Amino acid sequence: QRATIVEAKTRVGHAVLGQLLSDRQLWREERPGEPEPVLVAIGRESDDDAIRILNDHGISVFLYAAPVAG
């Protein structure tokens, strides 16, 4: 069983990479010997470059449309 670290933003951009890598480092320091956590970014929008860069670092990106009022 692996932990999952999630960063939620309205717009998933390049800055999320630094945040998740920092969170992962702190998690590792607090839990030596445990399996590597899964890294995930969620948001409403992003761009192809940000998604490609995050994916290249093993970070999954999930985008969700805003709910429709009604």
Side-chain angles (χ1 to χ4, degrees), residues 5 15 21 32 34 42 46 57-58 61 64 70:
I5 298 173
L21 293 180
E34 290 194 25
I42 64 171
S46 189
H57 282 85
V61 179
Y64 300 95

Side-chain angles (χ1 to χ4, degrees), residues 16-53:
V16 172
L17 175 63
Q19 291 170 320
L20 282 168
L21 293 180
S22 296
D23 291 344
R24 181 181 67 184
Q25 180 64 33
L26 294 171
W27 190 93
R28 285 173 167 170
E29 290 172 4
E30 292 175 6
R31 295 163 183 85
E34 290 194 25
E36 192 75 17
V38 175
L39 302 180
V40 176
I42 64 171
R44 300 212 180 201
E45 57 187 53
S46 189
D47 59 70
D48 291 340
D49 287 339
I51 293 170
R52 179 177 43 79
I53 290 166

